[in-house]
């Protein structure tokens, strides 16, 4: 028996967060304020996502935590351990087996199902923040649907760089109403936001929760003559040879050689286990043997 | 002809103090009204009440909207008023940095109002921005520079371009030439006069500079301590001032 209440937070707090989540699901893309709690980790490490996960976890659930697509980086490992300790839930690295997936900055390559929940960690939930510093003003702009300013940002991108250079946290419009920051996922992932799973976004420091119900219409903003382009590095994965997954660029040495590998480690590993080998990879059996 | 703007008995109080009170006038399409008075006479309070930035304590401001005729802008809903604010109205601030986004390029500043009313074609927005920069005499190659790299006069002209790009019918100006040196002022006035005449704009100009109203305004309103003390045709008021305060104002202009 753990000394913690199930999933660390007390029951009243979880009820409060669940109410915020339900409101967020009822008004897709709307940022619901909630009384964010102090968590035993620093702001910026996913305190919002952790609180949302704690509120939706059940004892029989299996949890997966990913950080930039990887299951084995500091943020993912520490949050996974946190829930192993405080909620004693089973954890997994396999996307298919997970019921709740907490993610930082990626959507898994594997399509999610209706019985899964994807929880995002959000640093700055307000898409208009860097253009309009006043919270009073941005909330009014959301309320009155005054979203011209969002296009000013994209205009500036094209004027300076010749193309929309925003490559992550690319603003989207939800169900033709609210403009939403999809958290800093690469814009490659934006088309995947229309999915079967429930998506919940938690921002701990900014005290906001927002949500996308399954199959919600999510449109990336763009100009008629500069349409949205979900770009990625133009290479196959060096390890598994995948042509259609999002890639990380890894610097190999001081002389400039580099390789591109899937950022989704589970996806890459399962492909290699199925026998796919990239041009810099070795067969899966040799590594695991 | 229906007036574009009918102001009826507007009053605004700051607690026990009078901001402005008992102000009524009609403004017809194509007409330029000057409001002069010393600092603290309620000119800016009045302008902000008319432009919807401040809620007046009494009175009505009837604007002849394109869609459904005369509407009271004081009682209309906030979304409607803000919509007017970025389509049929324009507001030129005394300090350009209040009216510009200093972190956004000149082109973005001009394009913002277009994008706010639904323009979604980058090429068109850019062409219109270039056209407007030219009309306010800013070189086209400065389109991607930020306003912070502009001189005070250029910033003020950029602010005017940004406001006029959506083809408003009524322009509110709060000391548009304040803080500029005389030669820059003269060019700006010349530009404003040209734009007002070409576009057939109606304008309300608040200033304490009598030369500005002499050049731009058809009619003049003189304010003191929140009250309108005299109004009439500009030349008539300036050449033959009736009220003691107006006489003082006219006689205190330095002649060189």
């Amino acid at each position: 028996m753990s000394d913690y209440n199930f999933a660390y937070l007390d029951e009243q707090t979880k009820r409060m967060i669940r109410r915020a989540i339900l409101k967020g699901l009822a008004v897709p893309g709307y940022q619901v304020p909630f009384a964010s709690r102090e968590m035993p980790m620093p702001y910026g490490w996913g305190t919002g996502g952790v609180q949302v996960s704690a509120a939706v976890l059940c004892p029989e659930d299996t949890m997966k935590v990913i950080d930039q697509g990887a299951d084995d980086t500091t943020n993912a490992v520490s949050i996974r351990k946190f829930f192993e300790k405080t909620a004693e839930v089973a954890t997994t690295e396999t996307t298919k087996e997970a019921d709740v997936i907490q993610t930082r900055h990626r959507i898994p390559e594997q399509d999610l199902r209706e019985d899964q929940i994807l929880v995002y960690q959000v640093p700055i939930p307000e898409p208009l923040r860097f253009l309009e510093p006043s919270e009073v003003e941005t909330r009014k702009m959301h309320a009155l649907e005054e979203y011209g300013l969002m296009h000013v940002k994209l205009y500036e991108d094209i004027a300076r760089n010749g193309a929309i250079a925003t490559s992550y946290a690319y603003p989207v419009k939800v169900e033709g109403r609210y403009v939403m920051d999809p958290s800093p996922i690469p814009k490659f992932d934006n088309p995947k936001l229309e999915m079967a799973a429930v998506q919940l976004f938690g921002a701990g420091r900014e005290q906001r929760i927002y949500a996308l119900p399954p199959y919600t219409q999510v449109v990336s903003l763009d100009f008629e003559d500069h349409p949205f382009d979900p770009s990625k590095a133009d290479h196959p994965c060096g390890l598994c040879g995948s042509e259609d997954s999002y890639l990380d660029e890894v610097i190999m040495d001081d002389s400039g050689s580099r390789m591109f590998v899937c950022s989704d480690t589970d996806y890459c590993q399962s492909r290699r286990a199925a026998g796919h080998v990239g041009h810099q990879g070795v067969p899966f059996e040799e590594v695991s043997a | 002809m229906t007036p574009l703007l009918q102001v009826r008995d507007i009053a605004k109080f700051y607690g026990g103090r009078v901001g402005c009170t008992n102000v009524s006038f009609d403004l017809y399409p194509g007409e330029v009204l000057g409001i002069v008075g010393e600092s603290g006479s309620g000119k800016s309070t009045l302008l902000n009440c008319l432009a919807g930035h401040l809620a007046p304590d009494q009175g009505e401001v009837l604007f002849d909207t394109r869609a459904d005729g005369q509407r009271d802008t004081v009682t209309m809903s906030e979304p409607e008023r803000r919509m007017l604010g970025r389509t049929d109205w324009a507001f030129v601030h005394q300090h350009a940095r209040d009216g510009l986004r200093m972190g956004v390029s000149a082109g973005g500043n001009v394009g913002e109002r277009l994008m706010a009313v639904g323009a979604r074609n980058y090429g068109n927005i850019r062409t219109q921005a270039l056209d407007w920069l030219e009309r306010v005499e800013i070189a086209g190659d400065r389109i991607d520079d930020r306003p912070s790299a502009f001189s005070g006069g250029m910033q003020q002209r950029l602010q005017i371009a940004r406001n006029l790009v959506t083809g408003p019918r009524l322009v509110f100006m709060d000391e548009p030439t304040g803080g500029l040196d005389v030669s820059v002022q003269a060019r700006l006035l010349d530009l404003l006069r040209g734009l007002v005449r070409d576009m057939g704009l109606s304008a309300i100009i608040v200033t304490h500079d009598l030369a500005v109203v002499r050049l731009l305004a058809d009619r003049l309103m003189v304010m003191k301590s929140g009250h309108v003390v005299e109004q009439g045709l500009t030349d008539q008021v300036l050449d033959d001032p009736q009220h003691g305060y107006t006489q003082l104002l006219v006689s205190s202009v330095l002649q060189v």
Side-chain angles (χ1 to χ4, degrees):
Chain A
M1 177 61 199
S2 160
D3 291 333
Y4 291 108
N5 186 37
F6 176 73
Y8 187 77
L9 293 173
D10 59 276
E11 294 305 314
Q12 286 303 317
T13 300
K14 287 194 276 183
R15 280 180 63 177
M16 176 268 294
I17 294 174
R18 285 177 199 136
R19 281 197 295 266
I21 292 172
L22 286 175
K23 183 168 179 183
L25 284 166
V27 192
Y30 171 71
Q31 299 167 42
V32 185
F34 78 110
S36 176
R37 296 292 190 251
E38 198 85 20
M39 297 302 282
M41 62 186 74
Y43 288 126
W45 281 51
T47 52
V50 165
Q51 290 177 74
V52 171
S53 294
V56 297
L57 265 183
C58 300
E60 61 275 18
D61 280 346
T62 305
M63 181 153 191
K64 171 183 160 85
V65 184
I66 47 178
D67 168 14
Q68 307 266 15
D71 289 278
D72 49 8
T73 53
T74 317
N75 198 204
V77 170
S78 65
I79 292 175
R80 190 161 58 228
K81 285 224 174 109
F82 175 80
F83 283 112
E84 278 171 1
K85 186 166 179 182
T86 61
E88 294 173 338
V89 290
T91 55
T92 179
E93 296 195 357
T94 313
T95 306
K96 277 183 212 165
E97 291 168 5
D99 299 299
V100 177
I101 304 173
Q102 181 171 335
T103 178
R104 170 172 178 266
H105 305 187
R106 267 319 301 281
I107 295 176
E109 303 288 351
Q110 168 79 42
D111 285 339
L112 300 183
R113 302 182 311 268
E114 289 181 6
D115 60 346
Q116 292 178 306
I117 298 176
L118 186 58
V119 178
Y120 295 79
Q121 304 171 196
V122 183
I124 294 168
E126 179 50 72
L128 302 160
R129 175 60 66 240
F130 290 106
L131 297 146
E132 178 52 65
S134 158
E135 174 75 11
V136 173
E137 186 63 20
T138 52
R139 290 182 79 163
K140 193 168 273 183
M141 289 159 92
H142 281 295
L144 303 180
E145 250 184 296
E146 290 179 3
Y147 289 132
L149 196 54
M150 205 68 249
H151 274 84
V152 173
K153 178 175 189 292
L154 302 178
Y155 170 93
E156 288 290 288
D157 262 10
I158 304 173
R160 281 175 201 287
N161 306 297
I164 298 177
T166 304
S167 56
Y168 64 95
Y170 193 102
V172 294
K173 195 163 205 179
V174 179
E175 285 290 337
R177 178 60 181 86
Y178 283 99
V179 165
M180 185 188 94
D181 180 349
S183 87
I185 59 172
K187 65 178 170 182
F188 173 81
D189 282 343
N190 270 19
K192 283 190 262 172
L193 287 165
E194 289 187 17
M195 65 161 73
V198 173
Q199 299 171 78
L200 306 174
F201 299 77
R205 175 175 42 206
E206 304 282 326
Q207 315 205 325
R208 293 288 183 277
I209 285 173
Y210 50 105
L212 293 174
Y215 308 111
T216 303
Q217 183 204 47
V218 181
V219 179
S220 304
L221 300 179
D222 58 2
F223 285 103
E224 289 162 6
D225 44 353
H226 287 268
F228 172 70
D229 171 31
S231 61
K232 71 183 248 318
D234 189 19
H235 293 271
C237 170
L239 296 177
C240 77
S242 171
E243 301 267 356
D244 51 10
S245 76
Y246 189 75
L247 303 174
D248 284 338
E249 183 180 359
V250 183
I251 306 292
M252 304 300 287
D253 54 29
D254 285 351
S255 55
S257 65
R258 56 202 183 144
M259 77 186 285
F260 290 90
V261 293
C262 293
S263 92
D264 187 336
T265 51
D266 168 56
Y267 178 77
C268 198
Q269 195 158 330
S270 56
R271 271 180 59 87
R272 289 167 64 212
H276 297 277
V277 182
H279 63 285
Q280 282 163 293
V282 287
F284 188 67
E285 298 74 36
E286 290 176 27
V287 184
S288 44
Chain B
M1 188 159 62
T2 34
L4 187 66
L5 191 74
Q6 275 184 300
V7 178
R8 292 283 166 267
D9 200 20
I10 281 291
K12 172 75 186 172
F13 300 97
Y14 299 109
R17 294 178 204 284
V18 178
C20 63
T21 184
N22 200 18
V23 180
S24 303
F25 64 88
D26 289 349
L27 184 75
Y28 285 88
E31 191 180 28
V32 179
L33 174 72
I35 303 176
V36 293
E38 60 192 359
S39 295
S41 60
K43 316 185 291 284
S44 297
T45 298
L46 174 61
L47 194 72
N48 284 322
C49 285
L50 301 181
H53 298 171
L54 279 177
D57 293 320
Q58 69 174 63
E60 43 188 17
V61 179
L62 301 166
F63 180 74
D64 186 23
T65 58
R66 285 182 219 233
D68 26 43
Q70 283 207 329
R71 297 280 310 276
D72 185 359
T73 64
V74 176
T75 53
M76 73 168 37
S77 70
E78 190 176 14
E80 286 178 296
R81 196 161 50 234
R82 283 171 70 111
M83 189 66 190
L84 269 184
R86 51 180 199 271
T87 52
D88 266 355
W89 290 355
F91 197 101
V92 177
H93 293 264
Q94 174 175 8
H95 301 291
R97 32 187 76 234
D98 296 338
L100 293 172
R101 288 191 190 278
M102 298 306 281
V104 170
S105 71
N109 265 298
V110 179
E112 182 181 344
R113 269 173 84 108
L114 293 171
M115 292 181 245
V117 294
R120 292 290 180 266
N121 187 306
Y122 176 80
N124 294 350
I125 293 168
R126 189 130 176 117
T127 315
Q128 285 202 56
L130 270 172
D131 177 45
W132 266 98
L133 289 183
E134 196 180 308
R135 286 169 80 165
V136 297
E137 297 164 22
I138 295 175
D141 61 356
R142 302 297 302 271
I143 186 170
D144 292 333
D145 291 347
R146 294 185 180 181
S148 48
F150 286 6
S151 69
M154 283 171 79
Q155 288 182 2
Q156 198 57 280
R157 295 204 296 275
L158 180 63
Q159 196 196 173
I160 290 165
R162 167 187 160 93
N163 271 292
L164 297 188
V165 67
T166 46
R169 293 187 296 156
L170 177 57
V171 186
F172 301 99
M173 295 191 221
D174 190 3
E175 308 266 13
T177 59
L180 300 176
D181 69 59
V182 280
S183 61
V184 174
Q185 254 188 39
R187 272 179 68 198
L188 189 72
L189 285 175
D190 201 36
L191 176 81
L192 275 176
R193 192 162 55 163
L195 288 172
V196 165
R197 294 284 177 267
D198 290 349
M199 300 176 71
L201 295 175
S202 302
I204 299 179
I205 300 177
V206 161
T207 183
H208 50 235
D209 188 341
L210 291 180
V212 171
V213 287
R214 175 77 95 170
L215 268 172
L216 286 176
D218 303 310
R219 275 197 308 133
L220 195 58
M221 239 165 68
V222 184
M223 290 188 73
K224 186 174 189 306
S225 313
H227 296 267
V228 176
V229 294
E230 186 166 356
Q231 56 179 323
L233 296 174
T234 304
D235 291 343
Q236 181 193 333
V237 173
L238 290 183
D239 293 343
D240 183 18
Q242 301 294 311
H243 190 272
Y245 174 71
T246 319
Q247 292 169 354
L248 184 71
L249 198 67
V250 171
S251 63
S252 60
V253 174
L254 286 177
Q255 303 291 334
V256 278

